[in-house]
Amino acid sequence: MLEPREGIPPVIADETALARVIAAFEAGSGPVAVDAERASGYRYGQRAYLVQLRREGAGTALIDPVACPDLSALGDALSGVEWVLHAATQDLPCLREIGMVPTRLFDTELAGRLAGFPRVGLGAMVESVLGFVLEKGHSAVDWSTRPLPEPWLRYAALDVELLVDLRDALEKELDRQGKLEWAHQEFDAIASAPPPEPRKDPWRRTSGMHKVRRRRQLAVVRELWQTRDRIAQRRDVSPGKVLGDAAIVEAALALPVNVHALAALNGFGHRVGKRQLEQWQAAVDRAKALSEAQLPQPGQPVTGPPPPRAWADKDPAAAARLSAARAGVSALAEQVGMPQENLIAPDTVRRVCWEPPAVVDAESVAAALAGHGARPWQVEQVTPVLVTALSATAP
């Protein structure tokens, strides 16, 4: 499919045009297809740089959320309408920032997983379910570019062109498999989930951190990461464009004594100016000047069970329970035709196996699963498997 059915719509970039779109979409019928394009890898943060919508009776709209940063009136107009998104959890945070929050949704990627499709990317789903091949060449471009080139706008419009058709076909397939109610519970859980909490110590997710063992070196990673983050935010560029993770880890391991030593390290070479080198070295020096009490601890405080690889030593009985539970969940996932992680979150299985109910029966295991956030359909499916696994390995 090379062209949207009604051609490429003009980009909405002023309040008058936006008001017309809001009225048209409010008057439309049926579900609304929604998508957003970000500039990951180019800009700081995950804000939306284009929002695409399509609804029966309203056609397709492409909205510039830079020129129209408050889309809450559009969100309100579509309140109560089912929103169709592909991989909803990726787009909902940036849509929430501009005032668009669905009350009902249908996630075509998640529907594909539950229905057992081996490939669940939008292009693959549209091809296998609807028989159309989508042109998918512009997913990783810099969507903050202005004006947006016509081929990119064509791609963006096509992303919502068939989304409602895909939703309808997947609904039929889920119904045929007896999984439609399961899907509705999953979609409701996504729509009602609160925004995620900000990450604690995000610097600990620096790629290559496993090489950094000493607390002083951890302090260097933290200081460089925070300095980089401030610069990236101020310049509105992706942090990786300011300084790579590999360079941060390299500096932490080397603990350079001066700018000259820093410049000799990978990632700080000839393309880094003297002023920049000085600011990175200043960050290293700040970390080196910290007292022992100010240094970060080696690991984050662990909530919940330890990593499964440590179970055999710490608690052999728990390791046996987990092994039996995993085998049971794997067999059930194959039987119902979906990935194990969609049948039940692996973390939930680990928690129940690490601290099983005092009395193992269907009621206690179901309560434990629900307490860890499992949906009713998951509790119903997985409880018998876990009761068997926990009972078979009981002392």
Side-chain angles (χ1 to χ4, degrees), residues 279-321:
Q279 75 185 1
W280 299 130
Q281 184 61 43
V284 173
D285 292 342
R286 283 196 298 275
K288 287 162 79 173
L290 294 173
S291 69
E292 282 292 316
Q294 294 171 307
L295 297 177
Q297 293 302 322
Q300 289 175 286
V302 177
T303 55
R309 63 179 178 275
W311 287 30
D313 292 332
K314 286 179 182 287
D315 188 341
R321 289 193 293 269

Side-chain angles (χ1 to χ4, degrees), residues 96-278:
R96 186 182 281 115
E97 280 181 7
I98 52 178
M100 295 186 66
V101 184
T103 51
R104 294 168 51 213
L105 64 83
F106 189 108
D107 185 332
T108 49
E109 189 215 38
L110 184 49
R113 290 179 186 279
L114 296 175
F117 284 87
R119 294 166 61 225
V120 292
L122 181 59
M125 293 285 288
V126 166
E127 189 172 348
S128 60
V129 177
L130 301 178
F132 285 100
V133 178
L134 283 182
E135 195 270 298
K136 295 295 292 177
H138 301 293
S139 57
V141 298
D142 180 2
W143 287 96
S144 68
T145 302
R146 291 295 182 271
L148 285 163
E150 188 176 286
W152 300 11
L153 296 173
R154 181 181 298 109
Y155 158 89
L158 286 171
D159 260 5
V160 290
E161 182 80 13
L162 298 169
L163 214 44
V164 174
D165 297 339
L166 179 61
R167 171 234 178 272
D168 293 346
L170 287 169
E171 183 177 59
K172 287 196 180 98
E173 179 59 23
L174 287 166
D175 196 30
R176 187 187 71 76
Q177 293 185 21
K179 297 175 182 173
L180 188 56
E181 173 54 29
W182 301 1
H184 285 151
Q185 289 181 27
E186 291 299 303
F187 302 155
D188 289 347
I190 294 171
S192 60
E197 293 284 318
R199 268 189 208 287
K200 189 173 185 297
D201 293 349
W203 59 270
R204 290 185 186 270
R205 293 175 62 81
T206 303
S207 186
M209 276 291 284
H210 61 281
K211 301 176 195 168
V212 183
R213 308 245 177 232
R214 288 158 44 201
R215 291 175 65 201
R216 184 72 58 189
Q217 294 172 329
L218 288 171
V220 173
V221 172
R222 180 176 65 185
E223 200 63 51
L224 284 171
W225 189 97
Q226 290 174 345
T227 302
R228 176 183 72 173
D229 197 62
R230 284 193 297 271
I231 295 166
Q233 191 168 9
R234 190 177 71 240
R235 287 169 44 191
D236 190 18
V237 295
S238 164
K241 288 192 176 298
V242 176
L243 187 68
D245 280 8
I248 289 178
V249 170
E250 188 94 4
L253 296 175
L255 296 173
V257 293
N258 55 33
V259 169
H260 183 70
L262 182 70
L265 301 177
N266 284 337
F268 295 95
H270 60 277
R271 290 195 308 178
V272 180
K274 184 170 180 288
R275 190 155 153 258
Q276 288 172 296
L277 281 171
E278 285 170 352

Side-chain angles (χ1 to χ4, degrees), residues 333-352:
E334 201 165 316
Q335 188 185 320
V336 298
M338 72 173 66
Q340 294 178 43
E341 64 271 19
N342 291 111
L343 175 61
I344 189 74
D347 181 65
T348 298
V349 175
R350 284 196 294 271
R351 286 173 186 268
V352 173

